[in-house]
């Protein structure tokens, strides 16, 4: 049994689990972890940020677009609290983020003395934004803690996990046994239930599929496509599910078509999705329609309503097995190709008539390669993009999910870019959201993150809020107007290229140049008040 510090036990255990990148921000409780990271610096890259929120956002962006665990490292108390908005986003988006945090000295936890960074009940606090959280109190416990963390991160529903190690435990030397890496195993769905579902789908005249973040999350897009094609079933993808089927695929749809297609379907399969909107809208499933749910999280299957067939298990295994068995029951159906093409065309026409959002978003799409990754934000072009931005490949559209976290985008995009060095990444931001993480321009430059282009739509406002105050509250503009820096000069102050675009054509030109020459670039797009996209509703043409 080799002798090592708790810090070495932590770093070696992370290495065993395949961690090669850590997004971190140091401090005194982490000194012995950084000591060990220094010795492991050829195998584990440490990227420091300017605020702890960015460590967890970067880990989330890294995780969601690579399928690997994303790892963050922060000091306890305020450091960890600073990261909780990002953890809540990762929680909402089923993202396997490992948050490693410090603690106060082990024998004084919960003493209430007011030690540096002490907060009461840190584990309890972080449990509200994680799937699981645990602590090691000796160096010998560290490998088991990391191993358990990876079990939680890579089994069942993927969500963030926190582990914490007090500074004296990181410093202490002991004989430590390292463990083998956790071997993830996919959870096989019940065969009888799959057979029942396959029969219902096979016999359906008008089957419909709702597909959520669980499909890209479990790497199930090929199985989804196979099943959809066998059934000729349209696939409605949620924001987190976008790209599972290419928007070019005749069956690939965005939720705009749900109110039209859902009432007409006889059998509906919802896979890897909370299925919340359909279940709570007037156009949602009614008695007489068969609802099948396939989800890794059994609680999700019955949370809002009990489906006719509920199947707990992995989406990739479940969809593969469904496709296999559907063939024994599958009826022939008249082609609906024309109907779907017309519906898609109508949805596209409605969305593309909303300007200037459509023009700007489509300018980005024109320049971003097919495998390029688009990181959205809670901004006007972002809302439009949820449904309107064409997505051609899985894991190439990143949003904030149900958390709707303003300011998540830029840090998340930095992590996406680090995790996908061979791909181009575009981060869109409002001036409000960008303000949350603009100091991370330093992180971009320091770590040479050159495959990311950053766009800031500047309307000098929390535009969404201002529009509501104007229109619904009789011009009571309060707390929604913003004073901004000159974004072009800001970029230049960080040593980046700064550019300004006042039309979609200009945005396209700047984006083209920035993507081609790989120079870190921020493009500001001044914007006036833009129309709301809420309230578009699709009727059949
Ligand atoms: C963490 C968080 N705080 C506040 C909000 C409420 N909120 C939603 S959109 C928005 C304004 C966004 O402004 P900006 O980023 O400039 O985008 P714009 O609407 O102007 O395009 C605010 C304050 C939120 N969604 N999340
Ligand atoms: Mg704004």
């Amino acid at each position: 049994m080799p002798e090592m510090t708790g810090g070495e036990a932590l770093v070696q255990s992370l290495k065993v689990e395949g961690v090669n990148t850590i997004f971190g921000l140091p401090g005194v409780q982490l000194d012995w972890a950084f000591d060990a990271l220094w010795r492991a610096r050829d195998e584990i890259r440490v990227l420091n940020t300017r605020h702890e929120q960015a460590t967890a956002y970067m880990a989330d962006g890294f995780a969601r677009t690579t399928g690997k665990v994303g790892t963050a490292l922060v000091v306890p108390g305020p450091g960890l609290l600073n990261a909780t908005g990002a953890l809540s986003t990762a929680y909402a988006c089923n993202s396997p983020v490992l948050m490693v945090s410090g603690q106060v000295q082990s024998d004084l936890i919960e003493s209430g003395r007011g030690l540096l960074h002490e907060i009461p009940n840190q584990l309890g606090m972080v449990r509200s934004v994680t799937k699981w959280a645990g602590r090691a109190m000796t160096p010998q416990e560290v490998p088991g803690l990391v191993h358990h963390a990876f079990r939680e991160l890579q089994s069942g529903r993927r969500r963030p996990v926190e582990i914490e190690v007090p500074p004296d435990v990181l410093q202490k030397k002991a004989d430590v046994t390292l463990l083998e890496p956790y071997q993830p195993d996919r959870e096989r769905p019940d065969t009888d239930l799959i057979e029942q579902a396959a029969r219902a789908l096979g016999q359906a005249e008008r089957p419909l599929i709702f597909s959520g973040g669980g499909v890209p999350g479990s790497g199930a897009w090929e199985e989804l496509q196979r099943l959809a094609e066998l059934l000729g079933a349209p696939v409605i993808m949620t924001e987190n599910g976008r790209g599972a089927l290419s928007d070019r695929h005749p069956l690939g749809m965005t939720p705009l078509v749900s109110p039209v297609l859902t009432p007409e379907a006889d059998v509906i399969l919802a896979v890897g999705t909370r299925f919340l909107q359909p279940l709570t809208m007037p156009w949602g499933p009614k008695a007489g329609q068969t609802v099948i749910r396939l989800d890794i999280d059994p609680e999700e299957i019955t949370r809002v309503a009990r489906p006719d067939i509920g199947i707990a298990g992995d989406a990739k295994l479940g969809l593969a097995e469904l496709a296999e068995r559907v063939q024994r029951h599958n009826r022939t159906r008249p082609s609906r190709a024309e109907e779907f093409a017309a519906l898609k065309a109508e949805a596209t026409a409605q969305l593309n008539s909303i300007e200037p959002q459509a023009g700007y978003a489509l300018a980005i799409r024109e320049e971003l390669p097919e495998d390029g990754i688009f990181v959205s934000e809670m901004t006007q072009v972002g809302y439009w993009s949820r449904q309107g931005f064409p997505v051609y490949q899985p894991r190439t559209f990143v949003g904030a999910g149900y958390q709707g976290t303003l300011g998540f985008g830029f840090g998340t995009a930095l992590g996406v870019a680090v995790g996908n060095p061979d791909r181009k990444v575009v981060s869109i931001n409002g001036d409000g959201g960008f303000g949350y993480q603009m100091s991370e321009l330093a992180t971009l430059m320091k770590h040479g993150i050159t495959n990311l282009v950053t766009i800031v739509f500047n309307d000098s406002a929390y535009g969404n809020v201002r529009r509501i105050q104007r229109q619904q509250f009789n011009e009571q503009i309060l707390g929604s107007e913003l004073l901004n820096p000159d974004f072009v000069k800001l970029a230049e102050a960080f040593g980046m290229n700064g550019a300004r675009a006042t039309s979609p054509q200009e945005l396209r030109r700047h984006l083209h140049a920035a993507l081609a020459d790989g120079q870190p670039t921020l493009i500001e797009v001044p914007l006036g008040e833009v129309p709301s996209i809420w309230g578009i509703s699709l009727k059949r043409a």
Side-chain angles (χ1 to χ4, degrees):
M1 249 191 296
E3 191 182 58
M4 61 178 85
T5 65
E8 285 168 329
L10 174 65
V11 168
Q12 291 307 317
S13 299
L14 292 172
K15 209 177 86 186
V16 164
E17 298 293 349
V19 173
N20 61 13
T21 308
I22 294 180
F23 306 101
L25 203 158
V28 70
Q29 291 93 345
L30 300 178
D31 283 351
W32 288 90
F34 275 77
D35 168 70
L37 282 168
W38 172 258
R39 273 187 297 288
R41 66 190 180 282
D42 291 339
E43 294 132 318
I44 299 182
R45 184 178 177 205
V46 176
L47 292 95
N48 63 311
T49 68
R50 304 303 291 264
H51 185 287
E52 283 87 0
Q53 64 175 336
T55 67
Y57 281 127
M58 289 180 81
D60 181 13
F62 180 97
R64 269 200 268 167
T65 53
T66 59
K68 297 184 208 148
V69 169
T71 307
L73 177 61
V74 300
V75 298
L80 182 58
L81 287 163
N82 278 343
T84 48
L87 289 176
S88 75
T89 311
Y91 189 87
C93 296
N94 305 302
S95 176
V97 169
L98 175 62
M99 172 54 73
V100 184
S101 166
Q103 243 300 356
V104 301
Q105 186 181 314
S106 60
D107 57 340
L108 293 175
I109 295 171
E110 307 305 341
S111 72
R113 292 187 190 190
L115 298 171
L116 180 70
H117 303 339
E118 179 183 344
I119 55 167
N121 194 17
Q122 176 168 292
L123 270 180
M125 181 280 292
V126 79
R127 280 185 178 131
S128 62
V129 285
T130 52
K131 175 181 176 183
W132 180 83
R135 180 190 298 151
M137 293 294 275
T138 64
Q140 292 93 329
E141 284 172 26
V142 169
L145 179 74
V146 172
H147 192 80
H148 188 94
F150 274 80
R151 173 189 302 275
E152 296 287 348
L153 287 159
Q154 297 181 303
S155 64
R157 188 169 187 174
R158 271 83 167 144
R159 278 183 149 167
V161 157
E162 188 251 16
I163 57 174
E164 53 192 49
V165 189
D168 51 307
V169 179
L170 290 172
Q171 182 174 6
K172 198 171 168 188
K173 280 195 166 178
D175 293 330
V176 173
T177 310
L178 294 174
L179 302 174
E180 292 297 308
Y182 172 70
Q183 299 293 343
D185 205 7
R186 293 179 180 271
E187 278 118 289
R188 188 163 287 286
D190 180 89
T191 309
D192 291 342
L193 290 172
I194 289 280
E195 174 61 21
Q196 278 178 41
R199 192 176 309 127
L201 284 165
Q203 291 170 355
E205 285 178 28
R206 301 172 74 82
L208 171 64
I209 300 175
F210 277 86
S211 179
V215 171
S218 74
W221 47 86
E222 282 170 15
E223 293 77 5
L224 174 77
Q225 181 169 344
R226 175 139 187 269
L227 179 66
E229 286 173 356
L230 281 167
L231 295 168
V235 178
I236 297 175
M237 289 165 280
T238 66
E239 183 185 17
N240 278 342
R242 301 237 16 229
L245 210 60
S246 166
D247 278 321
R248 290 214 182 87
H249 194 288
L251 298 172
M253 310 269 175
T254 64
L256 201 57
V257 304
S258 308
V260 173
L261 289 180
T262 311
E264 299 173 353
D266 54 354
V267 180
I268 299 168
L269 168 67
V271 51
T273 168
R274 292 173 300 135
F275 201 43
L276 184 64
Q277 202 206 21
L279 288 178
T280 52
M281 294 302 260
W283 47 259
K286 303 277 176 306
Q289 291 178 295
T290 301
V291 174
I292 302 163
R293 305 255 331 237
L294 169 60
D295 204 290
I296 193 72
D297 183 353
E299 275 183 40
E300 211 53 74
I301 293 175
T302 52
R303 195 186 299 284
V304 182
R306 194 164 284 282
D308 299 282
I309 305 171
I311 313 170
D314 175 69
K316 192 174 170 75
L317 290 182
L319 289 171
E321 187 73 18
L322 275 175
E324 208 44 51
R325 287 174 180 264
V326 147
Q327 295 172 78
R328 301 178 205 161
H329 307 287
N330 212 6
R331 69 192 306 154
T332 49
R333 300 174 186 85
S335 166
R336 297 175 69 189
E338 266 177 43
E339 174 199 343
F340 295 151
L343 195 59
K344 281 179 70 142
E346 176 60 20
T348 305
Q350 284 212 24
L351 281 160
N352 290 5
S353 71
I354 302 174
E355 294 288 13
Q357 292 98 312
Y360 282 118
L362 293 173
I364 298 170
R365 180 70 279 181
E366 291 293 328
E367 292 302 328
L368 187 66
E370 299 251 327
D371 69 348
I373 302 173
F374 178 87
V375 183
S376 193
E377 245 293 347
M378 305 307 290
T379 183
Q380 306 304 314
V381 175
Y383 303 134
W384 186 91
S385 298
R386 274 184 195 162
Q387 311 232 27
F389 190 83
V391 183
Y392 303 128
Q393 294 187 16
R395 297 180 177 163
T396 60
F397 183 96
V398 179
Y402 72 75
Q403 208 55 253
T405 331
L406 182 62
F408 89 101
F410 181 53
T412 303
L414 288 169
V416 170
V418 169
N420 300 272
D422 302 329
R423 298 201 195 185
K424 303 292 186 188
V425 183
V426 168
S427 162
I428 65 154
N429 305 267
D431 50 326
F434 190 63
Y436 283 55
Q437 297 203 70
M438 67 181 148
S439 57
E440 305 302 339
L441 288 169
T443 304
L444 184 156
M445 290 305 288
K446 175 170 193 287
H447 300 293
I449 302 172
T450 55
N451 54 328
L452 168 68
V453 179
T454 307
I455 301 173
V456 180
F457 292 99
N458 181 9
D459 59 357
S460 300
Y462 293 128
N464 217 40
V465 180
R466 186 176 59 183
R467 190 174 52 225
I468 291 172
Q469 291 178 341
R470 257 202 231 294
Q471 294 178 354
Q472 295 172 35
F473 290 87
N474 195 27
E475 302 278 336
Q476 294 175 173
I477 309 291
L478 181 62
S480 60
E481 291 188 327
L482 299 176
L483 180 78
N484 286 312
D486 178 325
F487 287 105
V488 174
K489 285 193 183 148
L490 180 78
E492 288 165 0
F494 280 96
M496 301 171 66
N497 287 343
R500 190 167 284 125
T502 55
S503 68
Q505 296 72 21
E506 262 181 50
L507 175 61
R508 208 176 149 179
R509 197 159 44 75
H510 287 306
L511 191 54
H512 184 86
L515 288 170
D517 72 8
Q519 291 296 313
T521 303
L522 184 155
I523 307 170
E524 184 203 7
V525 183
L527 216 58
E529 193 152 300
V530 305
S532 166
I533 69 142
W534 318 116
I536 347 178
S537 81
L538 195 66
K539 307 229 165 22
R540 230 186 252 289

